[in-house]
Amino acid sequence: MTDITDDFKSKTTLKNEAKAKGASESDVEIDVDAGTSVSVRLKELESISLNNDKSLSITVYFGKKRGIATTSDFSKEAIESCLAAACDIAKFTGEDKAFGLASSKLYPKKDIELDLYHPFEDSQDAMIAKVLVVEKTALSFDKRISNSEGANFSTSNNLFVQANSNGFMVIAPEFSSSNYPGLGDNYLMSNIFDDGDNPTPATFNDKNEWTFSTLDPLFEYVKEAISGTQEQYSLSLIHISEPTRR
């Protein structure tokens, strides 16, 4: 978890440095992305592409003036240069009364259930096989079809973290579906009972087995990494399910 710790420490450092440079508000976003893309054409494999990207975006406000800069280099020197660039842009741009961070009063105070994460965890060979079937189906739709521009199958997973000088932070860690298969009791009902649909004292699990036992240490880890004073967090559930065929 060293890389994650460094990310959170970077955010805290950036906030302090932005303030030292005269910024009244600041916002930092970190995105780490990895994915695979396979392409076929006329029943033959055409290409396999792998990506492993990361980016850090800094937004600073000098009153109603805003500057934004982005870097994919996470070295200390590059991040300092990125912050300096954002500050320079803000100083020489025009004012806009709509610029500024949202009031902390508008931040969510309750859990929000989302449905955004649908991982594909099969092999590269499985991806190729599936996309070949897709193209074959299209080619066989009508005997007059004799050519194809190919078919593509892409997968992507990412970690996103956002924090700003008003105390708002979003952490989006990724959990493998092998740990939380389907939408069972260990995911939807936090594994508090062996059978969430029929809870009884006999099926009540030890607290250390609850799903929350994973999240609480993560919260404390992040809190310590950023020297935070937060006492609680809000949980948003993201369903994990197989992709829908269309």
Side-chain angles (χ1 to χ4, degrees):
M1 299 182 76
T2 303
D3 292 341
I4 297 176
T5 305
D6 291 343
D7 288 347
F8 291 128
K9 288 181 177 179
S10 293
K11 288 180 175 296
T12 304
T13 301
L14 284 170
K15 182 183 72 173
N16 294 336
E17 291 185 1
K19 186 176 181 180
K21 290 179 180 294
S24 53
E25 295 178 320
S26 60
D27 179 271
V28 184
E29 296 179 5
I30 293 176
D31 186 56
V32 181
D33 178 84
T36 303
S37 178
V38 299
S39 298
V40 301
R41 184 172 182 270
L42 297 177
K43 304 178 183 179
E44 296 288 341
L45 176 64
E46 192 170 58
S47 67
I48 299 175
S49 301
L50 305 177
N51 72 284
N52 192 357
D53 304 315
K54 61 182 181 180
S55 66
L56 182 146
S57 177
I58 304 171
T59 303
V60 295
Y61 298 92
F62 284 67
K64 292 300 180 181
K65 295 183 176 182
R66 182 182 68 179
I68 303 174
T70 302
T71 180
S72 59
D73 184 347
F74 281 26
S75 67
K76 181 179 178 181
E77 294 76 13
I79 293 175
E80 289 177 348
S81 295
C82 186
L83 174 60
C87 290
D88 287 342
I89 292 171
K91 292 175 182 178
F92 296 100
T93 193
E95 291 190 354
D96 188 323
K97 64 180 181 180
F99 283 166
L101 298 177
S103 168
S104 59
K105 295 179 180 179
L106 299 176
Y107 298 161
K109 301 297 190 299
K110 61 181 181 179
D111 297 347
I112 303 172
E113 185 172 341
L114 306 174
D115 185 17
L116 301 176
Y117 182 46
H118 303 269
F120 181 83
E121 298 186 339
D122 277 346
S123 65
Q124 226 174 69
D125 289 339
M127 293 175 65
I128 296 170
K130 287 180 181 291
V131 78
L132 283 171
V133 170
V134 170
E135 189 194 39
K136 181 180 178 180
T137 302
L139 289 170
S140 63
F141 182 77
D142 190 300
K143 63 182 181 180
R144 293 171 295 179
I145 299 175
S146 60
N147 204 348
S148 165
E149 292 187 357
N152 177 271
F153 189 166
S154 298
T155 66
S156 180
N157 292 288
N158 76 325
L159 169 68
F160 176 79
V161 183
Q162 178 185 14
N164 65 41
S165 56
N166 280 356
F168 179 68
M169 178 175 289
V170 175
I171 306 165
E174 177 187 322
F175 294 92
S176 169
S177 61
S178 62
N179 298 111
Y180 301 95
L183 295 176
D185 293 335
N186 64 340
Y187 178 79
L188 289 179
M189 299 183 181
S190 304
N191 202 39
I192 296 176
F193 294 92
D194 280 336
D195 185 355
D197 294 326
N198 301 288
T200 66
T203 62
F204 186 73
N205 289 323
D206 184 88
K207 187 175 182 180
N208 291 328
E209 297 179 17
W210 296 359
T211 304
F212 294 120
S213 66
T214 302
L215 299 176
D216 288 344
L218 178 60
F219 172 71
E220 293 300 327
Y221 178 86
V222 172
K223 179 179 174 181
E224 180 179 354
I226 64 172
S227 302
T229 59
Q230 300 87 341
E231 297 299 328
Q232 60 184 7
Y233 60 87
S234 178
L235 173 66
S236 297
L237 299 177
I238 302 176
H239 288 171
I240 300 176
S241 60
E242 289 298 321
T244 302
R245 292 185 179 181
R246 298 186 185 277

